[in-house]
Amino acid sequence: MGPPSNSGFYVSRAVALLLAGLVAALLLALAVLAALYGHCERVPPSGLPGLGDSEAESSLRQKPTRTPKPSSARELAVTTTPSDWRPPGPWDQLRLPPWLVPLHYDLELWPQLRPDHLPAGSLLFTGRVNITVRCTVATSRLLLHSLFQDCERAEVRGPLSRDDVWFAVDTEYMVLELSEPLKPGSSYELQLSFSGLVYEDLKEGLFLNVYTDQGERRALLASQLEPTFARYVFPCFDEPALKATFNITIIHHPSYVALSNMPKLGQSVKEDVNGSKWTVTTFSTTPHMPTYLVAFVICDYDHVNRTERGKEIRIWARKDAIANGSIDFALNITGPTFSFLEDLFNISYSLPKADIIALPSFDNHAMENWGLMIFDESVLLLEPKDQLTEKKILISYIVSHEIGHQWFGNLVTMNWWNNIWLKEGFASYFEFEVINYFNPKLPRNEIFFSNILHNVLREDHALVTRAVALKVEHFKTSEIEELYDLFTYSKGASMARMLSGFLNEHLFVSALKSYLKTFSYSNAEQDDLWRHFQMAIDDQSTVILPATIKKIMDSWTHQSGFPVITLNVSTGIMKQEPFYLEKVKNQTLLTSNDTWIVPILWIKNGTTQSLVWLDQRSKVFPEMQVSDSDHDWVILNLNMTGYYRVNYDKLGWKKLNQQLEKDPKAIPVIHRLQLIDDAFSLSKNNYIEIETALELTKYLAEEDEIIVWHTVLVNLVTRDLVSDVNNYDIYPLLKKYLLKRLNLIWNIYSTIIRENVLALQDDYLALISLEKLFGTACWLGLEDCLQLSKELFTKWVDHPENEIPYPIKDVVLCYGIALGSDKEWDILLNTYTNTTKEEEKIQLAYAMSCSKDPWILNRFMEYAISTSPFTSNETNVIEIVAASEVGRYVAKDFLVDNWQAVSKRYGTQSLINLIYAIGRAITTDLQIVELQQFFSNMLEEHSRISIHAKLQTIKNENLKNKKQNARMAAWLRRNT
């Protein structure tokens, strides 16, 4: 699945459980009606209360008997049983019992999607599935997964008579009770008919997109079955290790095209009871694969295609998007990416075709379904206006990620979700390898740091976060969904990169080839991967490790957090300790087992040194010693391939400062980044003094790499610092200090923006860094920045075709309003009113909150709660006004008179968020009391209690920041 985002992968589990409850209630109501009117027989399963609702159909016949023994069909009741109404049994467990192994599914789906009758929120679908299973343990109970489906009827043929069907909704099982047990070693065919609903706003299982194409309103149907949503669509054995083959049939309206994992096998015509004709499309048999990779799409799309090594690649999209060439970039990179990975692993892509489809709305962003990858338009279509965004490289990464899954995840699947990093971590790692291969000039280490390492190191720590690989194997479905997070993707990718770093690329790929070949069409666990790495290591003598690969890597994947490596360059003593948020003095290790076996790649005076290992809490490395009198310097963690932060003693930091001021280019860019990021993180969390980090910034007048500047500004000019009115003492000092050093980097990029802005389109690091540089320069009052903002804003206002360069558009719009009057504000309001693009609306709303005039901000909030177009938009205008320095007081006064309207417009939670925004500068208990009194009549008692606790946290954080800022101010006075 695609990398995680702020929007999340799935609809809230609470929503799903609510729906489950509603379904159960509906089934109960239907059962009562059925009993009253005598339409069906209500037969409870033995020992269970009878709560029959609708009839269900299943047939079970033993193989190899081709003709079932005569038996009469009989109707069965389907019961829905909460856990407190049923006896204990296997239906209470979170894993399927190992009694049955699925071998093959014959699946038919018939969604009632018609172009002449577009759905209004939901749509009925019906289906049938025949599942061939092999019995491994004698059992008269069959469990499989099923949720949000009605089974139509049930009958048993042959010797296995008197079945009952019921549902354990809380554990998402369908249970079939048989009068006779199945025989171990025998194969059977389970036949089920079912129906359900497809929703537009629930992007799990089958879902709808309603969209506009060629000026017409249209609809499509698609699927998202990962991780556990196949059970929403058809009864199945919905666990990743239970692989089977699939024959899929889709019945659809003749004007639509149907897509699935495999190529189309044939088509026929079916007539429904009303005489309407439907197309029946069948597809070839899939390879062995888990249920979560099954995919379906029914749409009215066009496609472009290309053949790569004899296999067809088709990319499907709205007809408008095809016509304007928005899909061409994705098509051009897809085939070569497949070929690169085929050559790298020496394993061909397994299917005869690869379809990629761009949906107007897909919450997951991207999904790797075998043979039918699904993307959101926003991460697949490249518009002409996107040339000055990072979108081209973003599309490249996400396409490469999903294609990487064709090997990691599809061909070889993790045995259970506790090892999901085996697919997501390696797919995330190889997306960078693909891009580096096709774009060798890209700074690979700096990009990995910016996209992956910086974010995950910021969130990971010893006390709260989880390990990459989890030993527990029993998860609720909601817990499985929570595994799709930063640690699975980014920490998983970092583990793969570290492994490649301390081995070598050849050995790393050789081990993966063996692993992929051995477990093709099967499942694997983490230990299987380590076994193949160990085999590769044992077959050579160049790379010598201090322990087995399993022992080394388990120390990283089976515990949370990461180590801080501290080197004393005076003595050569190196030690490790877990990284804690806000470490307290003399904090010790949690247990005796939480050490890591750490690969230390390092450089001395710019020269790469031999790999060493820190395989205990402390160790002496005499070769790393330097004296105060010489000019040596040492940096640990070459290219930041190790997943840890590095600290030095005072002499070590002093040597690095001296080198930066003497000749910064002698230290590679990735290590200038590393020094800044590590130092500020360590100072923030009490490992070193803030002054140590600030000393590293003295050389910045000579720094011409924008990604280094970005790292400095992200750590130094924080959002809290910018918005906190109590920081007036530090602002003039910081302004003087930074403006003295900004000239070089500012002149480079301001000249490019003025003279040849298109030169930036292939400079990915500039595209992701410019906004922070530009915004900080303007915030510091750099005259040329303010003037350039005004020029670009005026040109755009006078001639809208003069687009503001995308990387700095937010900043330019904001300062265009801040430096302007109500005239400029009204222009943005008019633009806001006339645009239909949600992204642009959000951008404009934030810009309009940049006004320095209280009456304009007050009018903005009045519009937000009373007039169109703001009432149709979910951007909370009151919150974004309150986030600004002037706006927090305006918003506070506005709420006195309008809190009921604000609550009605944005909900009670918005009031709570506003309290936090308005109170973000509090530093005393008295201020907390005053703020609570101010809002007391707006909130219920339980909200007041939680708000008090939150405000205490804000106060404590502010007090800590106040102390830190005082020390920063003192240092700046000494160095300005």
Side-chain angles (χ1 to χ4, degrees), residues 152 300 308 399 402 489 517 650 693:
E152 306 290 312
D300 180 16
E308 183 82 10
V399 168
E402 303 310 325
Y489 289 80
K517 183 177 180 181
K650 289 184 178 180

Side-chain angles (χ1 to χ4, degrees), residues 753 774 788-796 804-805 808 812:
I753 290 169
F774 207 87
L788 182 53
S789 293
K790 193 172 182 179
E791 289 173 13
L792 294 170
F793 185 84
T794 302
K795 285 181 181 179
W796 172 71
I804 300 169
I808 57 172
V812 170

Side-chain angles (χ1 to χ4, degrees), residues 641-850:
T641 56
Y643 188 72
Y644 51 86
R645 290 199 185 277
V646 181
N647 188 15
Y648 303 92
D649 65 337
K650 289 184 178 180
L651 179 60
W653 286 115
K654 176 184 175 182
K655 291 292 185 180
L656 292 167
N657 284 327
Q658 290 174 345
Q659 184 58 48
L660 286 171
E661 294 191 54
K662 176 185 175 184
D663 179 13
K665 293 299 178 72
I667 298 177
V669 175
I670 185 62
H671 292 296
R672 303 205 296 274
L673 275 175
Q674 175 200 11
L675 292 173
I676 295 292
D677 201 59
D678 281 355
F680 274 97
S681 176
L682 293 171
S683 68
K684 180 181 178 181
N685 293 288
N686 305 327
Y687 287 83
I688 61 175
E689 307 296 339
I690 182 61
E691 293 83 355
T692 303
L694 291 170
E695 288 288 331
L696 294 171
T697 66
K698 285 182 175 180
Y699 86 98
L700 284 172
E702 304 299 319
E703 182 58 76
D704 59 0
E705 292 288 345
I706 193 169
I707 189 62
V708 178
W709 265 104
H710 181 264
T711 305
V712 170
L713 298 178
V714 163
N715 282 287
L716 190 58
V717 186
T718 63
R719 180 185 173 190
D720 288 340
L721 184 71
V722 170
S723 62
D724 191 349
V725 295
N726 294 323
N727 282 327
Y728 284 138
D729 58 336
I730 202 173
Y731 175 78
L733 297 168
L734 194 61
K735 175 179 179 177
K736 188 173 183 181
Y737 181 79
L738 286 178
L739 288 184
K740 183 178 178 181
R741 289 162 173 79
L742 268 170
N743 284 333
L744 175 61
I745 194 70
W746 172 258
N747 289 337
I748 291 171
Y749 284 97
S750 61
T751 301
I752 293 173
I753 290 169
R754 284 188 167 104
E755 296 179 1
N756 184 22
V757 70
L758 289 179
L760 295 173
Q761 62 183 322
D762 294 320
D763 189 346
Y764 176 72
L765 293 179
L767 293 174
I768 64 173
S769 304
L770 260 176
E771 181 179 1
K772 185 65 177 178
L773 175 68
F774 207 87
T776 302
C778 285
W779 176 70
L780 292 171
L782 181 64
E783 188 58 38
D784 191 47
C785 183
L786 298 174
Q787 183 60 36
L788 182 53
S789 293
K790 193 172 182 179
E791 289 173 13
L792 294 170
F793 185 84
T794 302
K795 285 181 181 179
W796 172 71
V797 167
D798 294 341
H799 302 284
E801 66 274 12
N802 291 329
E803 281 281 347
I804 300 169
Y806 183 86
I808 57 172
K809 188 173 182 179
D810 286 349
V811 179
V812 170
L813 289 175
C814 183
Y815 279 91
I817 294 299
L819 300 173
S821 64
D822 59 326
K823 175 186 173 184
E824 286 76 17
W825 197 93
D826 288 339
I827 289 169
L828 253 62
L829 175 62
N830 183 61
T831 306
Y832 183 102
T833 304
N834 292 321
T835 187
T836 59
K837 297 177 180 178
E838 186 67 20
E839 181 184 1
E840 188 174 4
K841 280 184 176 291
I842 294 171
Q843 192 173 50
L844 292 168
Y846 274 89
M848 286 187 281
S849 74
C850 293

Side-chain angles (χ1 to χ4, degrees), residues 415-432:
N415 198 52
W416 183 243
W417 301 106
N418 60 327
N419 279 315
I420 190 176
W421 86 273
L422 293 179
K423 79 180 187 76
E424 296 299 351
F426 278 91
S428 298
Y429 171 76
F430 277 105
E431 71 187 58
F432 287 88

